[in-house]
Amino acid sequence: MTASGPEQWAAVDERLAVFAREDAVLAAARTSTEVSSPGIQVSRQMGRMLHILALASGARRVLEFGTLAGYSTIWLARAVGPSGRVVSIELDRANAAVARGHLEDAGVSAWVDIHCGPAAEVSGRMVAAGVEPFDLVFIDADKQNLPTYVERALELTRPGALIVIDNIVRGGRVLDPGDDPQVQGVVRALAALQGDDRVQVSITQTVGEKGWDGFALVRRVS
């Protein structure tokens, strides 16, 4: 048996890419070098999974923490369609401009709103304004503030809604966060979810072109 490692993980992802077919617009968003942190967008399989989760749950309103070049945003927007709405929060205005271009090219910009600013502040204003609840939330922003983002997601959703949190395992560092504020944020968020009777949680480890990581699937039950 061939030894397992990053090269094999990436090769398997490439072989399985047939299940997450991209058009030119999606490929451009995934490989964009115009954003502040190229290469940190979700994988092709994660984008496809988000698309299927939105379709399967019948989501009409989606909230996203972290837009970057708009790759996951396009997957989600195509799932909800023109009768739905995707609201995405992005800290960097230059990233938001790049994402808007990709959304326009994808033909979904009419039902996507990008709000620029710190995600804790933007989502806090949404809570204060009493916006219509969301059916699905995808959290893929900075992890040091993850406990706040998870609480905001719970405040901004209806019972039965799904929350997907990316980058939970972080190459195994979740076992020993040390002084890394990103991993410490993940650990605090997981501890809060563990004691929260409002939710059901499943966490899946992943390996692939993005390395060793994982995601949490959270269902709000009350």
Side-chain angles (χ1 to χ4, degrees):
M1 180 180 293
T2 304
S4 176
E7 289 185 5
Q8 287 76 24
W9 303 342
V12 171
D13 260 2
E14 195 62 40
R15 169 64 180 84
L16 299 179
V18 65
F19 294 102
R21 289 190 179 94
E22 298 174 327
D23 58 17
V25 176
L26 275 171
R30 181 173 57 84
T31 60
S32 175
T33 59
E34 302 173 87
V35 290
S36 57
S37 299
I40 67 168
Q41 72 293 317
V42 302
S43 69
R44 288 169 285 188
Q45 296 299 336
M46 175 62 83
R48 183 61 166 165
M49 188 193 77
L50 291 170
H51 182 85
I52 291 174
L53 282 175
L55 289 171
S57 64
R60 308 314 311 153
R61 286 178 52 78
V62 174
L63 175 62
E64 179 181 52
F65 287 74
T67 317
L68 200 61
Y71 182 67
S72 53
T73 321
I74 294 170
W75 278 111
L76 291 165
R78 286 178 170 174
V80 304
S83 63
R85 203 81 192 168
V86 176
V87 177
S88 190
I89 305 172
E90 172 57 43
L91 175 64
D92 191 307
R93 291 187 178 277
N95 289 349
V98 172
R100 288 190 179 102
H102 290 140
L103 294 166
E104 186 71 29
D105 291 342
V108 300
S109 61
W111 59 94
V112 178
D113 298 318
I114 299 178
H115 295 261
C116 291
E121 295 179 13
V122 175
S123 58
R125 289 196 294 269
M126 290 181 184
V127 172
V131 300
E132 183 181 348
F134 293 93
D135 308 305
L136 174 65
V137 179
F138 178 47
I139 303 177
D140 191 24
D142 62 289
K143 299 305 182 289
Q144 61 262 40
N145 291 309
L146 187 57
T148 298
Y149 301 158
V150 172
E151 183 57 34
R152 291 281 196 274
L154 290 169
E155 293 173 319
L156 288 164
T157 49
R158 56 169 179 78
L162 298 178
I163 302 168
V164 182
I165 310 168
D166 202 14
N167 307 128
I168 287 293
V169 175
R170 305 192 72 81
R173 294 193 302 279
V174 70
L175 294 173
D176 182 13
D179 59 1
D180 186 331
Q182 297 278 341
V183 187
Q184 290 173 351
V186 170
V187 171
R188 292 197 308 274
L190 293 179
L193 285 169
Q194 186 175 357
D196 195 328
D197 59 9
R198 294 173 295 176
V199 299
Q200 298 170 324
V201 183
S202 173
I203 296 178
T204 300
Q205 293 189 80
T206 60
V207 295
E209 60 189 1
K210 305 294 291 182
W212 175 22
D213 214 323
F215 65 91
L217 178 61
V218 181
R219 178 176 178 266
R220 181 183 161 187
V221 296
S222 65

Short mmCIF file of all heavy atoms in Angstrom, two decimals, residues 121-188:
data_model
loop_
_atom_site.label_atom_id
_atom_site.label_comp_id
_atom_site.label_asym_id
_atom_site.label_seq_id
_atom_site.Cartn_x
_atom_site.Cartn_y
_atom_site.Cartn_z
N GLU A 121 -18.42 43.04 14.49
CA GLU A 121 -19.20 44.28 14.49
C GLU A 121 -20.36 44.21 13.50
O GLU A 121 -21.49 44.58 13.83
CB GLU A 121 -18.30 45.47 14.15
CG GLU A 121 -17.22 45.76 15.18
CD GLU A 121 -16.35 46.93 14.78
OE1 GLU A 121 -16.72 47.66 13.84
OE2 GLU A 121 -15.29 47.10 15.41
N VAL A 122 -20.09 43.72 12.29
CA VAL A 122 -21.13 43.66 11.27
C VAL A 122 -22.25 42.72 11.70
O VAL A 122 -23.44 43.05 11.62
CB VAL A 122 -20.55 43.21 9.91
CG1 VAL A 122 -21.67 43.01 8.89
CG2 VAL A 122 -19.54 44.23 9.40
N SER A 123 -21.88 41.53 12.20
CA SER A 123 -22.92 40.59 12.64
C SER A 123 -23.64 41.09 13.87
O SER A 123 -24.85 40.84 14.04
CB SER A 123 -22.29 39.21 12.91
OG SER A 123 -21.28 39.29 13.90
N GLY A 124 -22.94 41.84 14.73
CA GLY A 124 -23.59 42.43 15.89
C GLY A 124 -24.66 43.44 15.50
O GLY A 124 -25.74 43.50 16.11
N ARG A 125 -24.37 44.21 14.45
CA ARG A 125 -25.38 45.16 13.96
C ARG A 125 -26.58 44.42 13.37
O ARG A 125 -27.72 44.89 13.50
CB ARG A 125 -24.75 46.09 12.91
CG ARG A 125 -23.75 47.09 13.49
CD ARG A 125 -23.46 48.22 12.52
NE ARG A 125 -22.77 47.77 11.33
CZ ARG A 125 -21.44 47.73 11.19
NH1 ARG A 125 -20.67 48.09 12.20
NH2 ARG A 125 -20.89 47.33 10.07
N MET A 126 -26.34 43.28 12.75
CA MET A 126 -27.46 42.49 12.22
C MET A 126 -28.36 42.00 13.35
O MET A 126 -29.59 42.03 13.24
CB MET A 126 -26.91 41.29 11.43
CG MET A 126 -26.23 41.64 10.13
SD MET A 126 -25.65 40.12 9.30
CE MET A 126 -24.79 40.83 7.90
N VAL A 127 -27.73 41.55 14.44
CA VAL A 127 -28.52 41.10 15.59
C VAL A 127 -29.34 42.26 16.14
O VAL A 127 -30.55 42.13 16.40
CB VAL A 127 -27.59 40.53 16.69
CG1 VAL A 127 -28.39 40.24 17.96
CG2 VAL A 127 -26.90 39.26 16.21
N ALA A 128 -28.71 43.42 16.31
CA ALA A 128 -29.40 44.58 16.86
C ALA A 128 -30.55 45.04 15.96
O ALA A 128 -31.58 45.51 16.44
CB ALA A 128 -28.41 45.73 17.06
N ALA A 129 -30.37 44.87 14.65
CA ALA A 129 -31.39 45.30 13.70
C ALA A 129 -32.53 44.29 13.57
O ALA A 129 -33.56 44.59 12.95
CB ALA A 129 -30.77 45.54 12.33
N GLY A 130 -32.35 43.10 14.12
CA GLY A 130 -33.39 42.08 14.04
C GLY A 130 -33.65 41.61 12.63
O GLY A 130 -34.81 41.46 12.22
N VAL A 131 -32.59 41.34 11.88
CA VAL A 131 -32.76 40.92 10.49
C VAL A 131 -33.48 39.57 10.42
O VAL A 131 -33.51 38.81 11.39
CB VAL A 131 -31.40 40.82 9.76
CG1 VAL A 131 -30.68 42.15 9.76
CG2 VAL A 131 -30.53 39.74 10.39
N GLU A 132 -34.06 39.30 9.27
CA GLU A 132 -34.75 38.03 9.06
C GLU A 132 -33.77 36.87 9.30
O GLU A 132 -32.63 36.92 8.84
CB GLU A 132 -35.28 37.97 7.63
CG GLU A 132 -36.07 36.73 7.30
CD GLU A 132 -36.56 36.71 5.87
OE1 GLU A 132 -36.49 37.76 5.19
OE2 GLU A 132 -37.00 35.63 5.41
N PRO A 133 -34.19 35.82 10.01
CA PRO A 133 -33.27 34.73 10.34
C PRO A 133 -32.70 34.05 9.10
O PRO A 133 -33.34 33.99 8.05
CB PRO A 133 -34.13 33.76 11.15
CG PRO A 133 -35.25 34.59 11.68
CD PRO A 133 -35.51 35.64 10.63
N PHE A 134 -31.50 33.51 9.26
CA PHE A 134 -30.84 32.77 8.19
C PHE A 134 -31.10 31.27 8.36
O PHE A 134 -31.32 30.78 9.47
CB PHE A 134 -29.34 33.05 8.19
CG PHE A 134 -29.00 34.47 7.81
CD1 PHE A 134 -28.83 35.44 8.79
CD2 PHE A 134 -28.85 34.82 6.49
CE1 PHE A 134 -28.53 36.76 8.44
CE2 PHE A 134 -28.54 36.13 6.12
CZ PHE A 134 -28.38 37.09 7.10
N ASP A 135 -31.04 30.56 7.24
CA ASP A 135 -31.25 29.12 7.22
C ASP A 135 -29.94 28.34 7.27
O ASP A 135 -29.92 27.17 7.68
CB ASP A 135 -32.00 28.71 5.94
CG ASP A 135 -33.26 29.51 5.73
OD1 ASP A 135 -34.10 29.53 6.64
OD2 ASP A 135 -33.40 30.13 4.65
N LEU A 136 -28.86 28.97 6.82
CA LEU A 136 -27.56 28.32 6.76
C LEU A 136 -26.49 29.38 6.98
O LEU A 136 -26.57 30.47 6.43
CB LEU A 136 -27.36 27.64 5.39
CG LEU A 136 -26.00 27.03 5.07
CD1 LEU A 136 -25.70 25.86 5.98
CD2 LEU A 136 -25.93 26.58 3.60
N VAL A 137 -25.49 29.03 7.79
CA VAL A 137 -24.36 29.94 8.04
C VAL A 137 -23.07 29.18 7.78
O VAL A 137 -22.90 28.04 8.23
CB VAL A 137 -24.37 30.46 9.50
CG1 VAL A 137 -23.18 31.38 9.74
CG2 VAL A 137 -25.67 31.19 9.81
N PHE A 138 -22.16 29.82 7.06
CA PHE A 138 -20.83 29.26 6.83
C PHE A 138 -19.82 30.20 7.46
O PHE A 138 -19.75 31.38 7.12
CB PHE A 138 -20.55 29.09 5.35
CG PHE A 138 -19.17 28.57 5.05
CD1 PHE A 138 -18.66 27.48 5.74
CD2 PHE A 138 -18.38 29.16 4.08
CE1 PHE A 138 -17.39 26.99 5.48
CE2 PHE A 138 -17.11 28.67 3.80
CZ PHE A 138 -16.62 27.58 4.50
N ILE A 139 -19.01 29.67 8.39
CA ILE A 139 -18.03 30.48 9.10
C ILE A 139 -16.63 30.08 8.64
O ILE A 139 -16.17 28.96 8.88
CB ILE A 139 -18.15 30.30 10.63
CG1 ILE A 139 -19.57 30.66 11.09
CG2 ILE A 139 -17.12 31.17 11.35
CD1 ILE A 139 -19.80 30.44 12.58
N ASP A 140 -15.95 31.01 7.98
CA ASP A 140 -14.60 30.76 7.47
C ASP A 140 -13.78 32.05 7.57
O ASP A 140 -13.11 32.45 6.63
CB ASP A 140 -14.66 30.27 6.01
CG ASP A 140 -13.30 29.74 5.53
OD1 ASP A 140 -12.48 29.34 6.39
OD2 ASP A 140 -13.06 29.74 4.31
N ALA A 141 -13.87 32.69 8.72
CA ALA A 141 -13.13 33.93 8.97
C ALA A 141 -12.04 33.64 10.01
O ALA A 141 -11.78 32.49 10.35
CB ALA A 141 -14.09 35.01 9.46
N ASP A 142 -11.40 34.70 10.51
CA ASP A 142 -10.34 34.52 11.50
C ASP A 142 -10.85 33.72 12.69
O ASP A 142 -11.99 33.86 13.10
CB ASP A 142 -9.84 35.89 11.97
CG ASP A 142 -10.93 36.69 12.66
OD1 ASP A 142 -11.87 37.15 11.98
OD2 ASP A 142 -10.89 36.82 13.89
N LYS A 143 -10.01 32.86 13.22
CA LYS A 143 -10.46 31.92 14.24
C LYS A 143 -10.32 32.43 15.66
O LYS A 143 -10.92 31.87 16.58
CB LYS A 143 -9.71 30.59 14.09
CG LYS A 143 -9.95 29.90 12.74
CD LYS A 143 -11.43 29.69 12.46
CE LYS A 143 -11.69 28.97 11.15
NZ LYS A 143 -11.41 29.80 9.96
N GLN A 144 -9.54 33.49 15.89
CA GLN A 144 -9.42 33.97 17.26
C GLN A 144 -10.77 34.52 17.77
O GLN A 144 -11.03 34.51 18.97
CB GLN A 144 -8.32 35.02 17.42
CG GLN A 144 -8.51 36.29 16.61
CD GLN A 144 -7.73 36.26 15.31
OE1 GLN A 144 -7.67 35.21 14.66
NE2 GLN A 144 -7.13 37.37 14.93
N ASN A 145 -11.61 34.96 16.85
CA ASN A 145 -12.93 35.47 17.23
C ASN A 145 -14.04 34.45 16.98
O ASN A 145 -15.22 34.80 16.99
CB ASN A 145 -13.24 36.75 16.46
CG ASN A 145 -12.36 37.90 16.88
OD1 ASN A 145 -12.24 38.20 18.06
ND2 ASN A 145 -11.72 38.56 15.92
N LEU A 146 -13.67 33.19 16.78
CA LEU A 146 -14.66 32.17 16.44
C LEU A 146 -15.76 32.03 17.49
O LEU A 146 -16.94 31.87 17.11
CB LEU A 146 -13.96 30.83 16.21
CG LEU A 146 -14.84 29.70 15.69
CD1 LEU A 146 -15.53 30.08 14.39
CD2 LEU A 146 -14.01 28.42 15.50
N PRO A 147 -15.48 32.07 18.79
CA PRO A 147 -16.58 31.96 19.75
C PRO A 147 -17.65 33.03 19.53
O PRO A 147 -18.86 32.74 19.63
CB PRO A 147 -15.89 32.12 21.11
CG PRO A 147 -14.50 31.64 20.87
CD PRO A 147 -14.16 32.11 19.47
N THR A 148 -17.23 34.25 19.21
CA THR A 148 -18.19 35.32 18.94
C THR A 148 -18.98 35.03 17.68
O THR A 148 -20.21 35.20 17.64
CB THR A 148 -17.46 36.67 18.80
OG1 THR A 148 -16.80 36.97 20.03
CG2 THR A 148 -18.45 37.79 18.47
N TYR A 149 -18.30 34.57 16.64
CA TYR A 149 -18.99 34.29 15.38
C TYR A 149 -20.03 33.18 15.55
O TYR A 149 -21.13 33.26 14.99
CB TYR A 149 -18.00 33.90 14.29
CG TYR A 149 -16.94 34.93 13.99
CD1 TYR A 149 -15.74 34.56 13.40
CD2 TYR A 149 -17.13 36.28 14.30
CE1 TYR A 149 -14.76 35.51 13.12
CE2 TYR A 149 -16.16 37.22 14.03
CZ TYR A 149 -14.98 36.84 13.45
OH TYR A 149 -14.02 37.77 13.18
N VAL A 150 -19.69 32.15 16.32
CA VAL A 150 -20.63 31.06 16.53
C VAL A 150 -21.85 31.56 17.29
O VAL A 150 -23.00 31.23 16.95
CB VAL A 150 -19.95 29.90 17.28
CG1 VAL A 150 -20.98 28.85 17.68
CG2 VAL A 150 -18.87 29.27 16.41
N GLU A 151 -21.63 32.37 18.31
CA GLU A 151 -22.78 32.90 19.07
C GLU A 151 -23.64 33.80 18.18
O GLU A 151 -24.86 33.74 18.24
CB GLU A 151 -22.27 33.67 20.29
CG GLU A 151 -23.39 34.21 21.18
CD GLU A 151 -24.34 33.13 21.68
OE1 GLU A 151 -23.89 32.00 21.93
OE2 GLU A 151 -25.56 33.43 21.80
N ARG A 152 -23.01 34.62 17.36
CA ARG A 152 -23.77 35.46 16.44
C ARG A 152 -24.59 34.59 15.48
O ARG A 152 -25.74 34.89 15.17
CB ARG A 152 -22.82 36.34 15.62
CG ARG A 152 -22.13 37.41 16.41
CD ARG A 152 -23.02 38.62 16.67
NE ARG A 152 -22.20 39.75 17.08
CZ ARG A 152 -21.79 40.00 18.31
NH1 ARG A 152 -22.15 39.18 19.29
NH2 ARG A 152 -21.04 41.05 18.59
N ALA A 153 -23.97 33.51 14.99
CA ALA A 153 -24.69 32.62 14.06
C ALA A 153 -25.93 32.04 14.73
O ALA A 153 -26.99 31.93 14.11
CB ALA A 153 -23.76 31.50 13.60
N LEU A 154 -25.81 31.68 16.00
CA LEU A 154 -26.96 31.13 16.72
C LEU A 154 -28.03 32.19 16.93
O LEU A 154 -29.23 31.90 16.87
CB LEU A 154 -26.50 30.54 18.06
CG LEU A 154 -25.67 29.26 17.94
CD1 LEU A 154 -25.04 28.91 19.28
CD2 LEU A 154 -26.53 28.12 17.43
N GLU A 155 -27.60 33.42 17.14
CA GLU A 155 -28.56 34.51 17.33
C GLU A 155 -29.27 34.89 16.03
O GLU A 155 -30.38 35.42 16.06
CB GLU A 155 -27.85 35.74 17.90
CG GLU A 155 -27.33 35.55 19.32
CD GLU A 155 -26.51 36.73 19.79
OE1 GLU A 155 -25.70 37.25 19.00
OE2 GLU A 155 -26.66 37.12 20.95
N LEU A 156 -28.62 34.61 14.90
CA LEU A 156 -29.13 35.07 13.61
C LEU A 156 -29.82 33.97 12.81
O LEU A 156 -30.16 34.19 11.64
CB LEU A 156 -27.98 35.66 12.78
CG LEU A 156 -27.46 37.02 13.27
CD1 LEU A 156 -26.11 37.33 12.65
CD2 LEU A 156 -28.47 38.12 12.95
N THR A 157 -30.01 32.80 13.42
CA THR A 157 -30.64 31.69 12.70
C THR A 157 -31.94 31.29 13.38
O THR A 157 -32.24 31.68 14.50
CB THR A 157 -29.70 30.47 12.65
OG1 THR A 157 -29.19 30.20 13.96
CG2 THR A 157 -28.54 30.70 11.70
N ARG A 158 -32.67 30.46 12.67
CA ARG A 158 -33.92 29.89 13.19
C ARG A 158 -33.65 28.47 13.67
O ARG A 158 -32.66 27.85 13.26
CB ARG A 158 -34.97 29.85 12.07
CG ARG A 158 -34.50 29.08 10.85
CD ARG A 158 -35.57 28.79 9.86
NE ARG A 158 -35.05 28.06 8.70
CZ ARG A 158 -34.78 26.76 8.68
NH1 ARG A 158 -34.96 26.03 9.77
NH2 ARG A 158 -34.31 26.18 7.59
N PRO A 159 -34.50 27.92 14.54
CA PRO A 159 -34.36 26.51 14.89
C PRO A 159 -34.41 25.64 13.64
O PRO A 159 -35.21 25.87 12.74
CB PRO A 159 -35.57 26.25 15.80
CG PRO A 159 -35.86 27.59 16.41
CD PRO A 159 -35.57 28.59 15.32
N GLY A 160 -33.52 24.66 13.56
CA GLY A 160 -33.41 23.81 12.39
C GLY A 160 -32.34 24.26 11.41
O GLY A 160 -31.98 23.52 10.49
N ALA A 161 -31.81 25.46 11.60
CA ALA A 161 -30.79 25.97 10.70
C ALA A 161 -29.48 25.22 10.88
O ALA A 161 -29.20 24.63 11.93
CB ALA A 161 -30.57 27.46 10.94
N LEU A 162 -28.64 25.25 9.84
CA LEU A 162 -27.33 24.61 9.86
C LEU A 162 -26.23 25.66 9.91
O LEU A 162 -26.34 26.73 9.29
CB LEU A 162 -27.14 23.75 8.61
CG LEU A 162 -28.09 22.58 8.43
CD1 LEU A 162 -27.79 21.85 7.11
CD2 LEU A 162 -28.01 21.60 9.60
N ILE A 163 -25.17 25.34 10.65
CA ILE A 163 -23.98 26.19 10.74
C ILE A 163 -22.78 25.32 10.42
O ILE A 163 -22.58 24.27 11.05
CB ILE A 163 -23.83 26.81 12.14
CG1 ILE A 163 -25.07 27.64 12.51
CG2 ILE A 163 -22.56 27.67 12.21
CD1 ILE A 163 -25.13 28.03 13.98
N VAL A 164 -22.00 25.72 9.43
CA VAL A 164 -20.79 24.99 9.05
C VAL A 164 -19.59 25.84 9.44
O VAL A 164 -19.50 27.01 9.07
CB VAL A 164 -20.75 24.69 7.54
CG1 VAL A 164 -19.51 23.88 7.19
CG2 VAL A 164 -22.01 23.94 7.11
N ILE A 165 -18.67 25.23 10.19
CA ILE A 165 -17.48 25.95 10.66
C ILE A 165 -16.25 25.25 10.08
O ILE A 165 -16.00 24.08 10.38
CB ILE A 165 -17.39 25.95 12.20
CG1 ILE A 165 -18.71 26.41 12.83
CG2 ILE A 165 -16.24 26.85 12.66
CD1 ILE A 165 -18.79 26.18 14.32
N ASP A 166 -15.48 25.97 9.29
CA ASP A 166 -14.32 25.36 8.64
C ASP A 166 -13.07 25.53 9.50
O ASP A 166 -13.01 26.35 10.42
CB ASP A 166 -14.10 26.01 7.27
CG ASP A 166 -13.29 25.12 6.34
OD1 ASP A 166 -13.13 23.93 6.64
OD2 ASP A 166 -12.81 25.62 5.29
N ASN A 167 -12.05 24.71 9.19
CA ASN A 167 -10.71 24.80 9.80
C ASN A 167 -10.74 24.54 11.31
O ASN A 167 -10.17 25.30 12.10
CB ASN A 167 -10.07 26.17 9.53
CG ASN A 167 -10.05 26.52 8.06
OD1 ASN A 167 -10.49 27.60 7.66
ND2 ASN A 167 -9.56 25.62 7.23
N ILE A 168 -11.37 23.46 11.70
CA ILE A 168 -11.52 23.12 13.10
C ILE A 168 -10.31 22.34 13.65
O ILE A 168 -9.93 22.49 14.81
CB ILE A 168 -12.82 22.29 13.30
CG1 ILE A 168 -14.04 23.20 13.17
CG2 ILE A 168 -12.82 21.57 14.64
CD1 ILE A 168 -14.17 24.24 14.27
N VAL A 169 -9.69 21.50 12.84
CA VAL A 169 -8.63 20.61 13.32
C VAL A 169 -7.25 21.26 13.23
O VAL A 169 -6.38 21.05 14.07
CB VAL A 169 -8.67 19.27 12.56
CG1 VAL A 169 -7.50 18.37 12.96
CG2 VAL A 169 -10.00 18.56 12.83
N ARG A 170 -7.04 22.03 12.17
CA ARG A 170 -5.84 22.85 12.01
C ARG A 170 -4.55 22.02 12.15
O ARG A 170 -3.67 22.31 12.96
CB ARG A 170 -5.84 24.02 12.99
CG ARG A 170 -7.09 24.87 12.89
CD ARG A 170 -6.98 26.18 13.62
NE ARG A 170 -6.08 27.08 12.94
CZ ARG A 170 -6.42 27.85 11.89
NH1 ARG A 170 -7.64 27.79 11.39
NH2 ARG A 170 -5.53 28.65 11.33
N GLY A 171 -4.48 20.95 11.34
CA GLY A 171 -3.28 20.12 11.34
C GLY A 171 -3.02 19.42 12.65
O GLY A 171 -1.88 19.06 12.96
N GLY A 172 -4.07 19.20 13.44
CA GLY A 172 -3.94 18.52 14.72
C GLY A 172 -3.59 19.45 15.87
O GLY A 172 -3.56 19.01 17.04
N ARG A 173 -3.36 20.72 15.59
CA ARG A 173 -2.95 21.65 16.65
C ARG A 173 -4.06 21.90 17.65
O ARG A 173 -3.81 22.44 18.74
CB ARG A 173 -2.45 22.96 16.04
CG ARG A 173 -1.18 22.81 15.23
CD ARG A 173 -0.53 24.14 14.89
NE ARG A 173 -1.40 25.03 14.16
CZ ARG A 173 -1.62 24.97 12.84
NH1 ARG A 173 -1.05 24.01 12.12
NH2 ARG A 173 -2.41 25.82 12.24
N VAL A 174 -5.28 21.51 17.31
CA VAL A 174 -6.39 21.67 18.25
C VAL A 174 -6.14 20.86 19.52
O VAL A 174 -6.71 21.18 20.58
CB VAL A 174 -7.72 21.25 17.57
CG1 VAL A 174 -7.77 19.77 17.34
CG2 VAL A 174 -8.92 21.72 18.38
N LEU A 175 -5.28 19.85 19.46
CA LEU A 175 -4.93 19.06 20.65
C LEU A 175 -4.06 19.85 21.61
O LEU A 175 -4.07 19.60 22.82
CB LEU A 175 -4.21 17.78 20.23
CG LEU A 175 -5.03 16.76 19.44
CD1 LEU A 175 -4.11 15.62 18.97
CD2 LEU A 175 -6.17 16.21 20.28
N ASP A 176 -3.26 20.76 21.08
CA ASP A 176 -2.33 21.54 21.91
C ASP A 176 -2.17 22.92 21.29
O ASP A 176 -1.25 23.15 20.49
CB ASP A 176 -0.98 20.82 22.01
CG ASP A 176 0.00 21.57 22.90
OD1 ASP A 176 -0.43 22.49 23.64
OD2 ASP A 176 1.21 21.24 22.85
N PRO A 177 -3.08 23.84 21.62
CA PRO A 177 -3.08 25.15 20.94
C PRO A 177 -1.87 26.02 21.25
O PRO A 177 -1.56 26.93 20.48
CB PRO A 177 -4.36 25.81 21.45
CG PRO A 177 -4.66 25.13 22.74
CD PRO A 177 -4.18 23.71 22.58
N GLY A 178 -1.17 25.75 22.36
CA GLY A 178 -0.03 26.58 22.70
C GLY A 178 -0.43 28.04 22.80
O GLY A 178 -1.48 28.37 23.37
N ASP A 179 0.38 28.91 22.22
CA ASP A 179 0.07 30.34 22.27
C ASP A 179 -0.48 30.87 20.95
O ASP A 179 -0.44 32.07 20.68
CB ASP A 179 1.31 31.14 22.69
CG ASP A 179 2.50 30.95 21.75
OD1 ASP A 179 2.35 30.19 20.75
OD2 ASP A 179 3.57 31.54 21.99
N ASP A 180 -0.98 29.97 20.09
CA ASP A 180 -1.55 30.36 18.81
C ASP A 180 -2.97 30.86 19.02
O ASP A 180 -3.86 30.07 19.36
CB ASP A 180 -1.54 29.16 17.86
CG ASP A 180 -1.98 29.53 16.44
OD1 ASP A 180 -2.76 30.48 16.28
OD2 ASP A 180 -1.55 28.83 15.49
N PRO A 181 -3.23 32.16 18.82
CA PRO A 181 -4.58 32.69 19.08
C PRO A 181 -5.65 32.10 18.17
O PRO A 181 -6.82 32.00 18.56
CB PRO A 181 -4.43 34.20 18.87
CG PRO A 181 -3.21 34.35 18.00
CD PRO A 181 -2.31 33.22 18.37
N GLN A 182 -5.25 31.70 16.95
CA GLN A 182 -6.22 31.10 16.03
C GLN A 182 -6.72 29.76 16.59
O GLN A 182 -7.92 29.48 16.61
CB GLN A 182 -5.59 30.89 14.65
CG GLN A 182 -5.15 32.16 13.95
CD GLN A 182 -6.30 32.86 13.23
OE1 GLN A 182 -7.33 32.28 12.96
NE2 GLN A 182 -6.11 34.13 12.92
N VAL A 183 -5.79 28.92 17.04
CA VAL A 183 -6.18 27.62 17.57
C VAL A 183 -6.87 27.77 18.91
O VAL A 183 -7.82 27.04 19.23
CB VAL A 183 -4.95 26.69 17.67
CG1 VAL A 183 -5.39 25.28 18.06
CG2 VAL A 183 -4.19 26.64 16.36
N GLN A 184 -6.42 28.70 19.71
CA GLN A 184 -7.09 28.97 20.99
C GLN A 184 -8.55 29.35 20.77
O GLN A 184 -9.44 28.93 21.52
CB GLN A 184 -6.36 30.08 21.74
CG GLN A 184 -5.00 29.68 22.28
CD GLN A 184 -4.25 30.85 22.87
OE1 GLN A 184 -4.65 32.01 22.75
NE2 GLN A 184 -3.12 30.57 23.52
N GLY A 185 -8.81 30.12 19.71
CA GLY A 185 -10.19 30.50 19.40
C GLY A 185 -11.03 29.29 19.04
O GLY A 185 -12.20 29.19 19.44
N VAL A 186 -10.44 28.35 18.29
CA VAL A 186 -11.16 27.12 17.94
C VAL A 186 -11.48 26.33 19.20
O VAL A 186 -12.61 25.85 19.38
CB VAL A 186 -10.32 26.27 16.97
CG1 VAL A 186 -10.96 24.89 16.80
CG2 VAL A 186 -10.19 26.95 15.62
N VAL A 187 -10.50 26.18 20.08
CA VAL A 187 -10.70 25.41 21.31
C VAL A 187 -11.81 26.03 22.17
O VAL A 187 -12.67 25.32 22.70
CB VAL A 187 -9.38 25.30 22.10
CG1 VAL A 187 -9.62 24.69 23.47
CG2 VAL A 187 -8.38 24.47 21.32
N ARG A 188 -11.82 27.34 22.28
CA ARG A 188 -12.87 28.01 23.08
C ARG A 188 -14.24 27.81 22.44
O ARG A 188 -15.23 27.57 23.14
CB ARG A 188 -12.56 29.51 23.21
CG ARG A 188 -11.34 29.83 24.05
CD ARG A 188 -11.35 31.30 24.48
NE ARG A 188 -11.53 32.22 23.37
CZ ARG A 188 -10.55 32.69 22.61
NH1 ARG A 188 -9.29 32.30 22.83
NH2 ARG A 188 -10.78 33.54 21.63
#
